[in-house]
Amino acid sequence: MTPAPRRRWIAIVLVAVAVAAVAFAAGRFSTFGASGPALPADDSAEAGFARDMQAHHTQAIEMAMTAYRKTDDEQVRMLAYDIATAQAGQRGEMFDWLVKWGLPQAGGPPMAWMAASDAGHDHGGTSAAPLSPEEEREAMGMASPAELTALAGTEGTAGDCLFLELMIRHHQGAIPMAEAVLELGSEPRTLAVAASMKDAQQFEIDAMTSMQSRLGCPA
């Protein structure tokens, strides 16, 4: 190929590359400018679920770590470790959701977001008056300060049985919250986590009930 045709060929290639680069940039900018799915709002089920479940998980982690440190039962220790690590990870992810959605970590009365759901009907969510702190704790299945103190001070099989009792109730309070966001929400990742959480906690309830029988815990 002579120098002149070679120069023309190089020029054509450079023009083609430049055109492709402009087209790519235009596509990128149009993608950035396009409107994506709406983020959950401050009063959304997703936001309420993320906030309430963080508080719920915090207590579960506390109880699980108490049991993990004290128990001599290998099955109870493994269960406590699994609960603590799994729920710590979920709590961190839910914190990150609210950051990405541009929402505060706190907002609105606990469980108020559940009012329109079937689960909310069963947890006082349709009441005109807000739930008291004690009613909120009971609806969410959470342990009282006195129960946490008792858990920290009870040793041996009695301590294992108390842990299982409190954690079963705690899980039973979480499942309606997961069901409510599955009913009311639409954000894909939130729904996936809620569905997985519901299944995992029911599985753990069944496992803990079996442990209660093995340990001879009082009914």
Side-chain angles (χ1 to χ4, degrees), residues 4-197:
R6 183 180 294 112
R7 286 195 294 270
R8 285 196 299 271
W9 181 81
I10 293 173
I12 291 170
V13 172
L14 291 175
V15 169
V17 171
V19 170
V22 170
F24 176 78
R28 295 285 289 178
F29 284 126
S30 65
T31 299
F32 292 150
S35 58
L39 296 177
D42 192 52
D43 61 351
S44 66
E46 289 90 342
F49 174 77
R51 290 164 178 153
D52 287 356
M53 197 57 78
Q54 283 187 70
H56 202 262
H57 276 16
T58 295
Q59 188 181 84
I61 294 166
E62 177 185 353
M63 292 195 298
M65 291 308 300
T66 297
Y68 178 80
R69 289 190 296 266
K70 296 190 317 110
T71 186
D72 293 323
D73 187 280
E74 189 60 26
Q75 288 187 16
V76 173
R77 178 180 290 108
M78 290 177 61
L79 172 73
Y81 178 83
D82 288 345
I83 290 173
T85 53
Q87 297 206 11
Q90 290 173 347
R91 183 180 62 178
E93 181 175 3
M94 289 183 284
F95 183 97
D96 189 52
W97 290 348
L98 293 167
V99 172
K100 290 179 177 177
W101 299 340
L103 301 177
Q105 294 296 325
M111 304 184 74
W113 60 274
M114 296 174 60
S117 71
D118 292 337
H121 297 168
D122 297 332
H123 284 72
T126 59
S127 174
L131 298 177
S132 69
E134 181 65 16
E135 289 171 334
E136 290 171 4
R137 181 188 64 75
E138 291 180 357
M140 295 171 78
M142 295 178 71
S144 68
E147 288 171 330
L148 294 175
T149 299
L151 179 62
T154 307
E155 303 290 338
T157 300
D160 293 340
C161 288
L162 180 57
F163 166 69
L164 295 171
E165 175 189 344
L166 295 178
M167 192 59 76
I168 287 173
R169 191 179 74 199
H170 204 267
H171 277 17
Q172 289 170 337
I175 289 175
M177 296 164 67
E179 291 174 338
V181 79
L182 287 169
E183 178 184 346
L184 301 175
S186 60
E187 199 280 319
R189 179 57 185 168
T190 307
L191 299 185
V193 170
S196 176
M197 185 184 301

